[in-house]
């Protein structure tokens, strides 16, 4: 577009007005300078391609699979240790993410089809249990899974249950099963992330027009044929949306590698380089970040391409009627209760384990040692009495307080502009406000660290400038990473409000500013508040930037460190001692319980306000 | 009468789609002007360009002689009533109607007087404190009208304002709207796809097709003297036959369709040309009309059905695939299917035009 045409389009008095120009271009410039520029300039400077020649980073030989499972027997004890493969840092990240995605997709979509497509006794319990793992408790959930399956001389929790209840009384043998290395990370990620596919598939199932299913039933389609021919094609977009998100989350997950003490993943390499300021490795880490970014975006692009060809699910005329489910047969009941329920329960274990650990002194052996009744809340009291932990809570609230102002203002502007502006740049803003959801947080953290070390507006964003530079950088990162929730929520509210309501006001002589104040805000405030609430909770639960940039201000032994809650969770779950008597992990669990309560409350309020189920999940 | 609105050679594209292909028209002050046409013909786009919600790619719009092409909608002095009425759900009836007056910064007492007066005029008194969701469809429509009329606009633009109502209410409100327009003397531009609505309401009609205006004129002119094949076929209950001109005069033409010859009014046909013949269904009889030139049509009845005010008969023309639809008066004994019959149709109701493939295709799609 020529400059003259651009000028004509932007400043045309009937096409645009000052308000819409500001609403569109201010957030656009903000995102371009604060997100796209640091990201591109760092990623495109990747030069460390020697990583592909180093076996530590990429090992495609058969040796990589030589030690997947170890099996030995000692007297009447059977010891099975699942270790997984070792394809090197890059290979592990990508292949593990693929396997996690496939497994989570299979599990999540199966559970969703059972819960969303069939009516049976206990359906509500299944549905509620499947939601539990959605409550984010970074690091602590992985820690609980590790407690269940870690290699130990005696029983871990899983082996304790298997041996004490099944193999010892029935066979007279003790079975010790443990998961470590890549297998441990894989297990933790599948259990943590499968509900994302579940909730997206469930949302897709809920959107199916009942008449489509009824027509198929009417023509004689039953059972698996009905599922495969009619239901599955209609819910593929939902499944794909969930799967691509799981793939990204698996790639960027740093909790699994840290807790299972197996560091051969890209995410850990990137994390380490920022958190420990390993500046000599920047060229190599930039390359690893680029690989992570490309790997994360590839399935997204493929999925979009695939979905753009498949809009037939919505071709039905008239208002869709929701489908209330088919009655489950006796075989279905057996499948549901013997296979699906144990899987759902297994996935909910971390959250229940966190609650138990929060009221325990420690969890070292097979079972946790519960606190005596009079000291039940010791770990919760420690959150306020131990300075380093209290500081992390205050830090989080302080960062949130600043970030949310920008998120609310820019989010509303961008959400409104993407829905209403018909100016050059509107589509770009639409894309850019969704993009942060697909960019691994560690890539953002690394890019910020490198870019703002060089260009920092006189130290304002300098990561070496403690505390101010670090604080500003954290707030900027939170705004950029979490603004999509507010933008999407506002966008949905605006798009659901007929534009004629605004045009009617304009037609009566009202300027856009007044239209916004009198018509748009009163009709869309629910969406705005719902978006702000969601953004807030995801700021509090943000991991990648918090544990990297947030680590630059010292650790939680220090009373004036700059780390937020998730940083404290990481430190508490990985440290061996801390004042206060109980195990640091127990204190982490108490902090995680508070976070989960907050998440559950906010997501419930937000869903009610927006009058819809939330299928957006992130880390 | 002075010109209220002038649209000059307006072109509008949406991506690859051309919505308006160079539309020009003049609307006079105080008239109720209807823009009529099938879905997708560009009528709403034209109205939105007059209102200022869309900008033409080229061409100009004048209101009372002033070029308003680049004037934003809030400064045009036109007020629009939308198809879905666009009532603000968070405001009461009173607040909805008072909104425009408040923008004009009138004293509160004046606002109250005007709002109540307008509500009174539209039969809405007593509903001031209700929210739109507490009103019936007809009441909501009236509130939308009240909100527009209360600011005394120079031009009122209406985009299918009755299309969301049931048939009976639509008829009633149609009458009320016409009365109101005459009483207030306001210029109204009324977009509709319903030809009956346009015919009954408008002083003049612009019939649109495919981003262009086919014909502008009074309802009776458009109906009785259609200049184009599309105008003739679109208005009324019509049938279309294709044939060949056997003989052509200035006013009349003889067209052979299948095995019969039909005399029609000539619209530019020459002997030997292909012809598209449009036959309006009404006025058909089973015997010649007295004192009126009629045309005999012979064929086999395929369908005969009672539709309330008349009997609809479909007649297959011998030697062709065409059927002619005719409306017979109820007092005529209707022939049954399979019967070979002769009908008489007034010559005024039969028009023949040169064949335009795209128009014929469009008419067939709408049938």
């Amino acid at each position: 577009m020529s400059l003259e045409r651009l000028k004509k389009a932007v400043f045309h008095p009937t096409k645009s007005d000052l308000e819409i120009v500001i609403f569109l271009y201010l957030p656009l410039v903000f995102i371009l300078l604060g997100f796209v520029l640091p990201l591109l300039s760092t990623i495109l400077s990747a030069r460390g391609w020697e990583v592909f020649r180093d076996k530590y980073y990429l090992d495609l030989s058969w040796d990589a699979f030589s030690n997947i499972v170890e099996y030995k027997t000692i007297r009447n004890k059977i010891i099975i240790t699942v270790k997984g493969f070792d394809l090197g840092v890059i290979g592990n990240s990508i292949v593990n993410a693929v396997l996690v995605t496939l497994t989570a997709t299979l599990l999540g979509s199966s559970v969703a089809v059972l819960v969303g497509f069939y009516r049976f006794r206990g359906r509500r319990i299944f549905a509620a249990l499947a939601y539990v793992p959605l409550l984010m408790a970074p690091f602590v959930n992985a820690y609980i899974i590790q407690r269940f399956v870690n290699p130990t001389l005696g029983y871990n929790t899983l082996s304790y249950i298997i041996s004490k209840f099944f193999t010892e009384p029935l066979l007279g043998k003790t079975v010790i099963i443990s998961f470590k290395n890549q297998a441990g990370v894989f297990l933790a990620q599948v259990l943590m992330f499968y509900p994302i596919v579940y909730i997206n598939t469930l949302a897709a199932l809920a959107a199916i027009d009942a008449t489509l299913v009824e027509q198929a039933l009417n023509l004689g389609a039953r059972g698996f044929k009905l599922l495969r021919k009619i239901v599955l094609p209609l819910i593929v977009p939902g499944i794909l949306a969930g799967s691509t998100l799981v793939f990204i989350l698996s790639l960027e997950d740093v909790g699994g590698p840290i807790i299972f003490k197996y560091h051969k993943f890209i995410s850990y390499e990137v994390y380490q380089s920022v958190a420990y300021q390993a500046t000599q490795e920047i060229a190599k880490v930039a390359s690893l970040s680029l690989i992570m970014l490309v790997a994360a975006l590839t399935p997204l692009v493929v999925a979009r391409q695939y979905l753009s060809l498949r809009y037939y699910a919505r071709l039905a005329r008239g208002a869709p009627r929701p489908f209330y489910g088919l009655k489950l047969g006796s075989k279905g009941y057996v499948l549901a209760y013997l296979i699906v329920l144990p899987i759902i329960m297994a996935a909910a274990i971390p959250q229940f384990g966190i609650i138990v650990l929060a009221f325990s002194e420690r969890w070292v052996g097979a079972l946790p040692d519960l606190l005596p009744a009079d000291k039940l809340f010791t770990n919760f009291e420690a959150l306020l009495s131990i300075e380093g932990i209290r500081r992390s809570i205050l830090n989080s609230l302080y960062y949130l307080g600043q970030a949310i102002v920008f998120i609310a203002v820019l989010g509303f502007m961008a959400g409104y502009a993407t829905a209403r502006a018909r100016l050059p740049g509107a589509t770009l803003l639409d894309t850019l406000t969704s993009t942060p959801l697909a960019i691994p947080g560690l890539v953002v953290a690394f890019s910020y660290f490198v870019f703002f070390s060089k260009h920092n507006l006189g130290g304002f964003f300098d990561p070496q400038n403690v505390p101010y530079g670090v604080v500003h950088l954290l707030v900027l990162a939170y705004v950029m990473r979490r603004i999509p929730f507010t933008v999407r929520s506002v966008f949905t509210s605006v798009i659901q409000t007929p534009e004629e309501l605004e045009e009617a006001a304009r037609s009566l002589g009202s300027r856009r500013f007044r239209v916004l104040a009198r018509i748009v805000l009163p009709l869309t405030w629910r969406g705005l508040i719902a978006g702000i609430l969601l953004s807030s909770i995801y700021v509090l639960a943000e991991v990648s930037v918090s544990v990297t940039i947030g680590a630059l201000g010292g650790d939680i032994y220090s009373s004036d460190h700059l780390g937020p809650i998730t940083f404290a969770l990481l430190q508490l779950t990985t440290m061996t001692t801390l004042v206060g008597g109980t195990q640091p992990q127990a204190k982490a669990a108490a902090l995680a319980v508070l976070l989960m309560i907050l998440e559950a409350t906010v997501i419930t309020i937000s869903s009610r306000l927006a009058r819809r189920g939330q299928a957006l999940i992130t880390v | 009468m002075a010109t209220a609105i002038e649209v000059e050679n307006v072109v509008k594209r949406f991506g690859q789609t051309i919505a308006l292909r160079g539309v020009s028209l003049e609307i006079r002050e105080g008239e109720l002007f209807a823009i009529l046409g099938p879905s997708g013909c560009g009528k709403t786009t034209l109205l939105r360009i007059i209102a200022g919600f869309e900008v033409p790619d080229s061409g100009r719009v004048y209101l009372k002689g002033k070029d308003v092409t680049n004037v934003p909608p809030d400064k045009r002095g036109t007020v629009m009533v939308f198809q879905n009425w666009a009532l603000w759900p968070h405001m009461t009836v009173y607040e909805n109607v008072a909104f425009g007056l408040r923008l004009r910064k009138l004293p509160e007492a004046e606002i109250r007087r005007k709002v109540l007066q307008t509500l009174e005029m539209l039969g809405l008194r007593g509903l001031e404190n209700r929210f739109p969701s507490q009103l019936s469809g007809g009441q909501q429509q009236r509130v939308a009208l009240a909100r527009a009329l209360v600011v005394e606009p120079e031009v009122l633009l209406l985009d299918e304002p009755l299309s969301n109502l049931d048939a009976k209410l639509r008829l009633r409100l149609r009458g009320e709207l016409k009365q109101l327009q005459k009483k207030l003397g306001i210029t109204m531009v009324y977009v509709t796809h319903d030809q009956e609505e346009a015919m009954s309401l408008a002083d003049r009609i612009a019939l649109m097709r495919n981003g262009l205006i086919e014909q502008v004129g009074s309802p009776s002119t458009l109906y009785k003297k259609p200049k184009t094949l599309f105008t003739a076929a679109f208005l009324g209950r019509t049938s279309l036959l294709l044939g060949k001109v056997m003989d052509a005069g200035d006013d009349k033409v003889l067209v052979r369709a299948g095995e019969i010859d039909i005399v029609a009014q000539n619209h530019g046909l020459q002997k030997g040309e292909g012809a598209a013949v449009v036959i309006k269904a009404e006025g058909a009889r089973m015997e010649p009309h007295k004192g009126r030139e009629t045309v005999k049509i012979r064929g086999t009845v395929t369908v005969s059905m009672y539709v309330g005010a008349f009997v609809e008969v479909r007649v297959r023309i011998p030697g062709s695939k065409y059927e002619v639809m005719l409306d017979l008066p109820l007092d005529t004994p209707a022939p049954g299917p399979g019967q070979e019959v002769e009908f008489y149709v007034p010559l005024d109701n039969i028009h023949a035009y040169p064949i335009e493939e795209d128009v014929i295709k469009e008419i067939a799609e709408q049938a």
Side-chain angles (χ1 to χ4, degrees):
Chain A
M1 185 183 276
S2 72
L3 193 66
E4 199 48 43
R5 276 187 67 189
L6 187 74
K7 237 169 88 181
K8 217 174 136 189
V10 174
F11 298 107
H12 196 287
T14 47
K15 265 188 189 169
S16 64
D17 42 69
L18 187 62
E19 292 93 329
I20 199 75
V21 168
I22 293 172
F23 271 46
L24 174 63
Y25 294 111
L26 189 68
L28 189 61
V29 169
F30 191 74
I31 293 171
L32 283 172
L33 294 180
F35 190 76
V36 179
L37 180 65
L39 209 68
L40 281 185
S41 77
T42 308
I43 294 300
L44 295 180
S45 69
R47 295 285 181 275
W49 299 116
E50 68 277 5
V51 290
F52 285 111
R53 288 196 294 273
D54 188 334
K55 271 203 157 189
Y56 179 79
Y57 287 100
L58 192 61
D59 181 3
L60 298 177
S61 66
W62 284 112
D63 293 348
F65 303 98
S66 63
N67 211 3
I68 292 179
V69 183
E70 260 179 20
Y71 177 91
K72 51 187 175 188
T73 51
I74 303 172
R75 280 185 237 133
N76 64 341
K77 200 186 259 186
I78 301 168
I79 301 171
I80 303 166
T81 308
V82 188
K83 291 181 177 175
F85 49 76
D86 178 9
L87 292 159
V89 169
I90 298 168
N92 285 345
S93 284
I94 293 171
V95 177
N96 179 68
V98 169
L99 291 178
V100 167
T101 306
L102 292 176
T103 316
T105 303
L106 190 67
L107 280 181
S109 54
S110 307
V111 175
V113 166
L114 179 74
V115 172
F117 196 66
Y118 291 99
R119 280 180 285 126
F120 59 97
R121 269 177 201 280
R123 179 193 193 182
R124 280 169 187 270
I125 298 169
F126 277 61
L129 270 176
Y131 270 102
V132 171
L134 290 172
L135 297 172
M136 293 166 291
F139 305 106
V140 199
N141 50 3
Y143 178 76
I144 298 292
I145 295 168
Q146 193 238 19
R147 287 292 82 201
F148 267 76
V149 299
N150 69 326
T152 166
L153 290 172
Y155 297 111
N156 54 33
T157 310
L158 176 67
S159 309
Y160 183 83
I161 295 168
I162 292 173
S163 297
K164 291 290 176 195
F165 293 99
F166 300 101
T167 59
E168 285 176 12
L170 297 176
L171 307 169
K173 285 188 184 292
T174 299
V175 176
I176 303 290
I177 301 178
S178 58
F179 287 77
K180 62 188 286 195
N181 298 359
Q182 179 272 330
V185 175
F186 166 82
L187 185 69
Q189 290 184 347
V190 167
L191 292 182
M192 287 190 295
F193 300 145
Y194 99 88
I196 292 166
V197 181
Y198 163 77
I199 195 170
N200 276 285
T201 310
L202 210 56
L205 274 167
I208 290 182
D209 185 350
T211 55
L212 298 179
V213 178
E214 285 163 359
Q215 179 70 81
L217 285 169
N218 188 242
L219 292 169
R222 292 280 182 280
F224 189 63
K225 188 155 212 158
L226 177 67
L227 277 179
R228 195 168 60 88
K229 291 279 184 189
I230 307 295
V231 179
L232 197 62
L234 296 176
I235 59 173
V236 160
I239 296 176
L240 271 182
S243 308
T244 45
L245 202 50
V246 167
F247 186 77
I248 295 166
L249 293 176
S250 168
L251 269 181
E252 78 155 344
D253 176 49
V254 77
I258 290 176
I259 300 297
F260 278 86
K261 296 187 180 68
Y262 185 67
H263 299 160
K264 290 178 83 172
F265 286 94
I266 298 178
S267 58
Y268 187 83
E269 291 273 321
V270 179
Y271 154 75
Q272 194 191 26
S273 77
V274 182
Y276 300 112
Q277 302 187 53
T279 43
Q280 71 281 6
E281 296 196 320
I282 279 175
K284 182 186 76 187
V285 179
S287 307
L288 289 173
S289 298
L290 181 57
I291 293 167
M292 191 197 260
L293 185 65
V294 171
L297 292 179
T298 305
L300 202 75
V301 172
V302 173
R304 266 188 95 127
Q305 196 68 28
Y306 173 80
L307 292 179
S308 67
L309 302 172
R310 281 165 174 73
Y311 275 109
Y312 49 68
R314 284 276 172 215
L315 283 182
R317 294 175 76 88
R321 197 155 55 77
F323 184 66
Y324 292 108
L326 288 180
K327 209 165 169 231
L328 191 65
S330 51
K331 279 186 213 160
Y333 265 96
V334 173
L335 189 80
Y337 277 89
L338 289 186
I339 297 176
V340 178
L341 186 61
I343 292 171
I344 299 178
M345 286 172 71
I349 279 173
Q351 276 66 20
F352 290 121
I354 288 168
I355 296 169
V356 174
L357 182 57
F359 294 99
S360 302
E361 197 173 342
R362 62 178 60 81
W363 189 340
V364 178
L367 298 172
D369 304 328
L370 286 174
L371 283 160
D374 58 330
K375 290 182 178 168
L376 210 54
F377 291 96
T378 304
N379 292 317
F380 291 92
E381 286 160 12
L383 302 182
L384 294 179
S385 62
I386 297 174
E387 280 194 27
I389 304 178
R390 191 178 63 221
R391 169 55 48 198
S392 70
I393 298 172
L394 292 175
N395 283 346
S396 274
L397 296 176
Y398 178 65
Y399 303 148
L400 175 64
Q402 294 186 43
I404 213 63
V405 174
F406 289 94
I407 288 175
V409 174
L410 291 172
F412 180 74
M413 290 169 115
Y416 179 80
T418 46
R420 292 288 190 249
R422 291 176 193 93
L423 295 172
T427 316
L428 180 65
L429 181 65
D430 189 19
T431 310
L432 287 182
T433 48
S434 310
T435 307
L437 291 175
I439 307 282
L442 285 166
V443 175
V444 178
F446 174 72
S447 304
Y448 273 27
F449 177 70
V450 175
F451 181 82
F452 288 110
S453 291
K454 283 183 258 174
H455 319 280
N456 47 42
L457 299 179
F460 191 81
F461 287 118
D462 187 357
Q464 320 296 337
N465 174 12
V466 177
Y468 299 109
V470 174
V471 170
H472 296 149
L473 213 47
L474 280 171
V475 171
L476 178 68
Y478 290 148
V479 173
M480 290 304 172
R481 292 207 69 211
R482 299 319 191 208
I483 202 170
F485 297 100
T486 302
V487 175
R488 296 335 289 174
S489 191
V490 170
F491 173 82
T492 308
S493 294
V494 174
I495 219 80
Q496 285 171 353
T497 310
E499 194 169 4
E500 288 90 342
L501 296 181
E502 293 170 51
E503 289 176 344
R506 298 211 72 197
S507 162
L508 287 165
S510 184
R511 271 195 70 90
R512 180 144 356 223
F513 185 76
R514 201 180 167 97
V515 174
L516 286 165
R518 292 293 311 276
I519 312 293
V520 179
L521 262 178
L523 294 174
T524 59
W525 68 269
R526 285 167 174 275
L528 177 63
I529 300 292
I532 291 173
L533 283 174
L534 272 185
S535 291
S536 305
I537 197 65
Y538 289 122
V539 164
L540 290 179
E542 204 278 346
V543 172
S544 306
V545 177
S546 306
V547 300
T548 47
I549 308 279
L552 301 176
D555 56 35
I556 64 164
Y557 288 114
S558 144
S559 60
D560 60 354
H561 70 89
L562 297 174
I565 289 173
T566 44
F567 173 71
L569 286 177
L570 167 64
Q571 294 234 306
L572 287 168
T573 16
T574 49
M575 67 176 42
T576 46
T577 54
L578 185 75
V579 288
T582 59
Q583 198 186 14
Q585 288 75 8
K587 296 181 181 77
L591 190 53
V593 166
L594 287 188
L595 194 61
M596 290 195 299
I597 292 172
L598 207 58
E599 285 166 15
T601 314
V602 162
I603 289 172
T604 308
I605 296 172
S606 176
S607 302
R608 295 255 162 104
L609 278 175
R611 292 182 182 131
R612 66 192 139 89
Q614 292 291 347
L616 276 172
I617 304 297
T618 187
V619 291
Chain B
M1 247 190 277
T3 303
I5 302 167
E6 190 183 349
V7 175
E8 190 182 279
N9 206 20
V10 161
V11 175
K12 179 69 186 172
R13 287 182 191 82
F14 294 105
Q16 298 295 311
T17 312
I18 306 176
L20 298 175
R21 299 167 185 271
V23 169
S24 297
L25 58 83
E26 275 185 36
I27 298 167
R28 297 167 200 148
E29 263 184 38
E31 79 172 333
L32 203 164
F33 189 89
I35 302 174
L36 173 69
S39 297
C41 70
K43 54 191 188 298
T44 294
T45 303
L46 179 58
L47 192 76
R48 288 174 64 79
I49 282 176
I50 295 172
F53 293 123
E54 302 290 350
V55 187
D57 296 328
S58 62
R60 318 296 306 169
V61 178
Y62 301 91
L63 289 178
K64 288 196 170 170
K66 185 184 156 203
D67 186 351
V68 294
T69 316
N70 292 328
V71 175
D74 46 305
K75 294 192 170 67
R76 286 206 177 185
T78 57
V79 175
M80 186 142 157
V81 176
F82 293 84
Q83 188 172 7
N84 62 2
W85 310 319
L87 297 180
W88 301 307
H90 59 298
M91 294 186 197
T92 60
V93 168
Y94 185 91
E95 286 164 344
N96 261 283
V97 179
F99 185 89
L101 296 174
R102 292 220 164 95
L103 288 172
R104 285 156 182 76
K105 296 192 169 61
L106 294 184
E108 199 54 42
E110 177 78 354
I111 291 174
R112 186 163 182 78
R113 189 185 64 73
K114 285 192 173 219
V115 170
L116 294 181
Q117 192 183 357
T118 312
L119 291 178
E120 179 78 54
M121 180 171 74
L122 288 161
L124 292 166
R125 272 307 291 270
L127 302 177
E128 301 87 279
N129 296 322
R130 296 229 189 136
F131 284 94
S133 58
Q134 297 168 310
L135 301 176
S136 68
Q139 288 168 336
Q140 288 182 15
Q141 200 279 335
R142 285 202 193 97
V143 174
L145 206 55
R147 186 176 66 183
L149 288 173
V150 77
V151 296
E152 296 165 17
E154 290 173 29
V155 175
L156 185 61
L157 307 171
L158 303 110
D159 185 9
E160 308 213 26
L162 305 182
S163 64
N164 286 338
L165 299 171
D166 64 65
K168 261 193 160 170
L169 193 56
R170 201 158 59 223
L171 267 178
R172 206 179 79 206
L173 288 175
R174 196 191 287 171
E176 289 178 15
L177 197 64
K178 175 123 184 159
Q179 277 181 352
L180 200 67
Q181 192 267 338
K182 291 296 164 219
K183 189 173 145 190
L184 300 174
I186 193 171
T187 309
M188 282 191 191
V189 184
Y190 192 104
V191 159
T192 180
H193 68 275
D194 182 340
Q195 49 170 298
E196 201 185 301
E197 200 164 277
M199 292 280 178
S200 60
L201 268 175
D203 298 317
R204 287 194 307 145
I205 298 171
L207 178 65
M208 288 188 71
R209 183 183 83 84
N210 199 17
L212 282 170
I213 289 179
E214 284 280 315
Q215 191 172 344
V216 180
S218 68
S220 65
T221 307
L222 257 66
Y223 195 78
K224 289 182 181 156
K225 294 175 181 166
K227 285 183 184 164
T228 66
L229 171 60
F230 180 78
T231 308
F234 184 80
L235 296 174
R237 291 160 49 76
T238 57
S239 308
L240 179 71
L241 329 173
L242 299 185
K244 192 177 174 187
V245 178
M246 307 308 290
D247 197 6
D250 287 346
D251 302 328
K252 293 184 206 168
V253 64
L254 183 70
V255 178
R256 173 156 300 166
E259 291 170 4
I260 65 164
D261 290 337
I262 299 172
V263 179
Q265 296 186 61
N266 190 3
H267 293 270
L269 286 164
Q270 301 292 325
K271 190 176 174 183
E273 262 188 299
V277 181
V278 177
I279 304 174
K280 292 198 189 292
E282 83 268 13
R285 297 281 186 277
M286 295 198 71
E287 66 283 339
H289 296 53
K290 283 175 191 154
R292 198 172 172 193
E293 196 173 351
T294 54
V295 177
K296 187 169 76 178
I297 294 175
R298 178 168 58 81
T300 312
V301 174
T302 56
V303 176
S304 173
M305 55 188 173
Y306 171 75
V307 278
F310 51 84
V311 176
E312 181 185 316
V313 177
R314 288 173 189 250
V315 181
R316 164 70 50 93
I317 301 298
S320 82
K321 59 181 181 179
Y322 302 113
E323 279 189 355
V324 176
M325 177 174 64
L326 298 168
D327 298 343
L328 295 179
L330 290 175
D331 53 11
T332 311
Q339 247 181 281
E340 297 250 350
V341 282
E342 286 179 351
F343 293 99
Y344 296 88
V345 179
L347 176 63
D348 303 348
N349 288 354
I350 308 178
H351 300 265
Y353 301 84
I355 290 173
E356 293 175 68
E357 294 292 351
D358 53 338
V359 175
I360 290 166
K361 205 174 145 199
E362 201 173 321
I363 291 165
E365 279 166 7
Q366 284 166 23

